[in-house]
Amino acid sequence: MTAPWWQASVIYQIYPRSFQDTNNDGIGDLRGIECRLDYLVSLGVDAIWISPIYPSPMVDFGYDVADYCGVDPRFGTLADFDALLMQAHRRGLKVLLDFVPNHTSDRHPWFVESRTSKENQKRNWYIWRDPAADGGPPNNWISDFGGSAWEWDKVTRQYYYHAFLKEQPDLNWRHPDVQAAMYDVMRFWFDRGVDGFRIDVLWHMLKAADFPDNPPNPAYRSEMGEMHRLLQLHSTDQPEVHGIAAEMREIADSYGAMGRGKRVLLGEIYLPVERLMHYYGGERPGVHLPLNFQLIDTQWEGRALATLITDYEAALPLDGWPNWVLGNHDRPRVATKRGQAQARVAAVLLLTLRGTPTLYYGDELGLSDVAIEPSQVRDPRELREPGLGLGRDPVRTPMPWDASENAGFTTAKPWLPSNADSLTRNVARMTEESQSILTLYRRLLALRRDCLALSIGEFVLLNVEDEILVYQRRYDAQRLIVALNLGGQARRLQLPDWARDSRLLLSTVEDAALVEGDAVLLRSNEAVVLEA
Ligand code: GLC
């Protein structure tokens, strides 16, 4: 097999605050991740991506970085990180970190310096502008968390730009010193041995040089959140950003020849498919995996899914490798969006599509969004625009490990409450259950590892109906058929001739489907993998 490791891998996202606490402060930590590595190996994933662990005031829970080359004491120390990395590598697991290049914390020494005076040598490391003629903000840009994206600084009498919170000033990536400093950060972690980065809000990194107003969004409705009042035409996705992605790629590739193998870059990019594709790069390669979030929001319907998959496949550049995401720390959980029965079908879809899947911690347990009392809300997104359902606390709750107090996550008060059903929905219990979604995930991951057809094989669409999606995956002589029943009706599906009497490899339901010659009988909400 010649595919690079990250193409055949499944990446598991860990939200470190919520995975495992070992120092009894109610917040997860690096030693916690280390002591759960064997779980990840038994689950069958290949790589972990850890959301930010750097020193941070935690106004946006680590996405406000105060030092790119350290570890926040709440998570541990650099030595803990090195130990985690070593233990992960010993088990054959790759480790990706979250790189947050678009903005720093307002407590980062660079910004502290930058705001001291207009003449400061780091002034232009951030985006400072004079007020508009009326004394107001320089333009109409809106923060992704609501409100103006400009903050007035009364000391130096200028505004600074923040795409997110005012505590997260945007770096000025047009400044060569900023670029150099941030590329050094990447080298710092690559030198330590990390296998790659997930790059936070990559499409935000450059803004139109003359800062024109953004146009209104004709489709805006207030429940979308204020950021959607405008189209982010000039504040995001500027063509020059591809040059930055290419520079980052060059740095990653410069490590490829070393013993530990190639490094990988994932880009967080919420854009329509055509624009997403540019992040693969042109003449100069861009990031390896511009993240594809389409499965999260699509209509859960055969034709919609088929169109999405085939359009995405068709749009990929020649050597562009696909990827699929079902959940992350910003979006509602799949079990909440699709329900428990279809969360199992979704697991099959995620792990049998062509491309690198990322799996969000807890989704393998069918964890749902956890209801958070108003007094317990922690997420600044919810605090700034309450009640719209934009808050992210519900998907960041502690990983339930067992039926002990606080689900085995901590012996202290957890920073967010555990899922109400943690007595039964936990790793220990579901490991014992032959029909649990956890067992299904383990079987799927094992199957994917065994079958190159599933990890790197070709994808061919076979059959689509309102509630049915059937496709083929093939590699060399191996031909697999994946059939998904997206609804509650049992169905009899005709198999192509070459698939007569196929062998059932896996099903999502106990009373599994029957293959009868040239037909397969699918139960309600059943997904199957067959081998021809
Ligand atoms: C990304 C992160 C999100 C964070 C934002 C600002 O979208 O995924 O959690 O709040 O960037 O850094």
Side-chain angles (χ1 to χ4, degrees):
M1 191 186 93
T2 51
W5 64 265
W6 50 270
Q7 293 190 353
S9 287
V10 176
I11 300 171
Y12 184 92
Q13 181 189 354
I14 293 178
Y15 196 68
R17 282 183 82 83
S18 304
F19 204 58
Q20 176 70 66
D21 180 19
T22 60
N23 66 346
N24 307 323
D25 60 358
I27 295 172
D29 43 54
L30 293 177
R31 288 193 175 177
I33 299 174
E34 187 182 331
C35 76
R36 294 299 184 179
L37 286 175
D38 288 329
Y39 165 70
L40 297 169
V41 171
S42 81
L43 181 61
V45 296
D46 308 280
I48 55 176
W49 143 34
I50 311 174
S51 284
I53 55 168
Y54 317 106
S56 164
M58 300 289 169
V59 186
D60 191 21
F61 296 110
Y63 286 95
D64 46 328
V65 179
D67 172 6
Y68 287 102
C69 298
V71 170
D72 190 279
R74 277 161 283 211
F75 293 133
T77 62
L78 258 183
D80 292 336
F81 178 76
D82 290 340
L84 167 61
L85 190 62
M86 190 184 78
Q87 289 299 336
H89 283 166
R90 275 181 56 179
R91 290 166 173 78
L93 289 170
K94 306 279 187 186
V95 178
L96 315 186
L97 285 183
D98 210 313
F99 184 42
V100 190
N102 178 69
H103 45 270
T104 70
S105 160
D106 62 344
R107 313 270 189 85
H108 194 294
W110 298 341
F111 188 71
V112 173
E113 244 197 77
S114 179
R115 72 186 313 171
T116 54
S117 84
K118 281 186 184 164
E119 287 70 45
N120 185 276
Q121 179 241 331
K122 291 220 164 49
R123 184 65 171 183
N124 292 326
W125 281 42
Y126 292 84
I127 300 172
W128 291 98
R129 308 284 290 178
D130 287 330
D134 65 356
N139 68 20
N140 70 351
W141 294 1
I142 298 173
S143 151
D144 279 19
F145 290 162
S148 171
W150 296 95
E151 181 70 12
W152 177 245
D153 179 60
K154 45 184 193 304
V155 178
T156 56
R157 305 193 57 77
Q158 274 191 320
Y159 283 91
Y160 68 84
Y161 177 69
H162 56 91
F164 296 89
L165 298 172
K166 69 175 182 349
E167 293 86 356
Q168 295 170 295
D170 279 44
L171 281 163
N172 173 17
W173 270 83
R174 294 186 187 273
H175 197 306
D177 294 352
V178 168
Q179 297 186 8
M182 293 301 275
Y183 297 149
D184 280 348
V185 170
M186 296 180 77
R187 293 189 189 96
F188 173 86
W189 292 105
F190 279 144
D191 287 339
R192 284 197 114 74
V194 309
D195 301 289
F197 290 105
R198 173 264 191 189
I199 304 168
D200 191 62
V201 297
L202 176 58
W203 84 113
H204 267 274
M205 287 180 61
L206 281 180
K207 351 282 168 190
D210 51 347
F211 295 89
D213 275 355
N214 275 329
N217 175 6
Y220 172 67
R221 286 169 288 113
S222 58
E223 65 269 24
M224 296 164 122
E226 202 197 347
M227 67 170 281
H228 293 291
R229 206 148 54 68
L230 304 177
L231 298 171
Q232 296 188 328
L233 185 68
H234 303 297
S235 50
T236 65
D237 195 31
Q238 299 302 297
E240 304 97 305
V241 76
H242 302 300
I244 290 173
E247 292 291 318
M248 291 179 169
R249 173 64 177 264
E250 245 173 53
I251 294 167
D253 284 353
S254 72
Y255 286 83
M258 291 166 61
R260 278 182 296 261
K262 291 203 186 306
R263 314 300 166 95
V264 68
L265 299 178
L266 283 53
E268 185 205 19
I269 303 150
Y270 282 94
L271 285 178
V273 170
E274 333 69 87
R275 284 156 73 196
L276 181 66
M277 291 304 152
H278 294 298
Y279 289 77
Y280 280 104
E283 248 154 65
R284 298 175 72 199
V287 295
H288 303 77
L289 299 173
L291 290 171
N292 164 19
F293 299 112
Q294 296 186 87
L295 282 184
I296 299 179
D297 287 322
T298 185
Q299 245 183 302
W300 205 246
E301 194 266 326
R303 287 175 226 279
L305 284 169
T307 307
L308 181 168
I309 296 163
T310 48
D311 286 357
Y312 174 71
E313 284 269 357
L316 285 168
L318 256 191
D319 52 356
W321 184 250
N323 72 84
W324 297 96
V325 181
L326 258 188
N328 63 33
H329 63 296
D330 295 326
R331 307 306 314 279
R333 284 198 182 262
V334 55
T336 297
K337 280 205 87 148
R338 314 298 181 195
Q340 286 298 335
Q342 283 296 316
R344 300 168 71 94
V345 176
V348 175
L349 179 67
L350 176 72
L351 295 177
T352 61
L353 282 174
R354 191 178 83 97
T356 304
T358 63
L359 170 56
Y360 185 50
Y361 89 97
D363 279 354
E364 76 273 32
L365 306 174
L367 216 61
S368 302
D369 292 10
V370 174
I372 306 290
E373 295 292 320
S375 64
Q376 291 177 318
V377 169
R378 304 292 301 272
D379 181 20
R381 185 81 190 85
E382 178 67 21
L383 292 170
R384 290 181 56 82
E385 291 186 275
L388 297 180
L390 301 172
R392 302 165 298 178
D393 293 328
V395 305
R396 297 174 174 181
T397 58
M399 180 73 172
W401 293 102
D402 56 41
S404 66
E405 210 176 334
N406 298 319
F409 165 67
T410 181
T411 53
K413 185 178 183 313
W415 78 286
L416 283 175
S418 296
N419 47 310
D421 57 356
S422 66
L423 277 186
T424 49
R425 194 174 296 284
N426 65 60
V427 170
R429 167 85 174 251
M430 295 173 95
T431 296
E432 302 302 318
E433 295 169 348
S434 65
Q435 294 303 316
S436 69
I437 186 169
L438 177 59
T439 302
L440 172 68
Y441 263 100
R442 284 200 164 102
R443 292 181 55 213
L444 269 166
L445 286 158
L447 188 63
R448 191 178 163 96
R449 215 171 249 195
D450 281 352
C451 300
L452 287 181
L454 284 183
S455 55
I456 58 167
E458 230 183 292
F459 171 94
V460 184
L461 190 63
L462 293 180
N463 181 12
V464 192
E465 295 170 33
D466 289 349
E467 296 192 329
I468 294 292
L469 182 66
V470 187
Y471 47 90
Q472 188 196 156
R473 298 296 312 279
R474 83 178 163 220
Y475 186 84
D476 281 349
Q478 185 170 51
R479 286 171 160 216
L480 301 184
I481 293 182
V482 181
L484 312 179
N485 186 346
L486 303 159
Q489 306 284 335
R491 292 291 305 276
R492 184 171 204 279
L493 294 184
Q494 204 66 32
L495 289 171
D497 271 353
W498 53 264
R500 269 192 87 86
D501 300 314
S502 284
R503 186 163 70 95
L504 180 69
L505 295 181
L506 177 139
S507 162
T508 56
V509 302
E510 188 165 16
D511 185 16
L514 297 171
V515 180
E516 283 178 352
D518 62 353
V520 51
L521 306 177
L522 273 191
R523 306 289 189 267
S524 69
N525 300 305
E526 178 175 24
V528 294
V529 182
L530 309 172
E531 181 167 27

